[in-house]
Amino acid sequence: MMGRDHALSGAFVFAALATTLHVSDAHLAAGVALCAGAGVLPDIDHQDTSVSSSFGFLTEGFSWLVAKLSGGHRHGTHSLFGIAVFTAGAFAAGAYQLSGPKESLSHPVFSWHSAFLWHMVPALLFMSLLYSAALRAVHVGGHHGDLLGIGAAIVTCYTGADLTRLPVGSWHVPMLAIAVALGCAAHIAGDELTHGGCPIFWPVSMHEFHLLPRPLQFTTAKLCETWIVFPLLVAGLALSVWHDMGHPLVLPSTSGVHTASRS
């Protein structure tokens, strides 16, 4: 799939699950944007992608290293192992952020002097990459978008939105880790709709799995993705956000009104 659709799929998955995860309206935008960035994160194994070009030679060099370690494009980063590594990284960044001075965490909003402590650096870097990658994937901003992504990461750290604990079964997990896990999973699911597939059990097996039978699989950037997948993702995201904001997706029945009027 194209980077644009990977980002939209991540955003859609988070928005669709936001009510189940009890995400507040105040944190919905951050969660959707972070998950959109995570939706293109597995493509860090390829240097010609939105996530790899976010910060020039820095991310391109990191992309080269990831490709070498993961076996190339659509290998390690497109597997269950890759999801686990990315999610663990996000969780560790959040845990280190939480390990900062306790007096700054006792308030609903962090104080300015605490927002720039070393404890914030890993989370800031992680979220700057996600925000910038999401903006680049939907063709917003270029390097100006990268600056916007950095600013959004600072605001997110300052408010502590990324540390918001969301219920997952009997656990409560920071929103940043959940967004990364969902976005990466959405990316892999999207690639499994194409002819390429993904080796989800890498490195144990290189067998490429698909979610659709071969006749229904599509090719990246062709008519099916452009005119069917993309519009469906946009519509799904819009409806999910509408529902998350408290609006019903189905109009209330008027049968009772008609019955009362006839009586």
Side-chain angles (χ1 to χ4, degrees), residues 1 6 183-194 198 200 210-211:
M1 290 178 71
H6 278 310
C184 291
H187 181 111
I188 292 172
D191 279 346
E192 287 183 331
L193 298 175
T194 68
C198 292
I200 60 174
H210 298 82
L211 292 178

Side-chain angles (χ1 to χ4, degrees), residues 113-200:
H113 74 277
S114 297
F116 294 96
L117 291 175
W118 284 111
H119 294 85
M120 304 291 176
V121 172
L124 277 172
L125 292 175
F126 209 125
M127 288 189 289
S128 294
L129 178 64
L130 295 183
Y131 282 132
S132 299
L135 290 171
R136 281 182 173 268
V138 295
H139 307 292
V140 174
H143 290 303
H144 296 292
D146 297 340
L147 293 176
L148 182 60
I150 294 172
I154 292 173
V155 171
T156 306
C157 265
Y158 174 69
T159 59
D162 59 308
L163 300 178
T164 302
R165 301 277 177 165
L166 303 180
V168 180
S170 58
W171 297 286
H172 285 77
V173 184
M175 186 173 72
L176 176 59
I178 291 179
V180 168
L182 291 177
C184 291
H187 181 111
I188 292 172
D191 279 346
E192 287 183 331
L193 298 175
T194 68
H195 293 295
C198 292
I200 60 174

Side-chain angles (χ1 to χ4, degrees), residues 49-110:
T49 58
S50 57
V51 63
S52 299
S53 60
S54 294
F55 296 107
F57 72 92
L58 293 175
T59 45
E60 288 173 0
F62 182 66
S63 172
W64 177 87
L65 178 61
V66 171
K68 291 296 182 183
L69 294 175
S70 64
H73 185 45
R74 281 202 186 186
H75 286 73
T77 63
H78 290 63
S79 66
L80 296 177
F81 179 80
I83 296 176
V85 170
F86 287 131
T87 304
F91 189 89
Y96 189 62
Q97 184 180 349
L98 275 172
S99 70
K102 297 297 184 290
E103 63 271 14
S104 66
L105 300 177
S106 62
H107 299 85
V109 178
F110 295 169

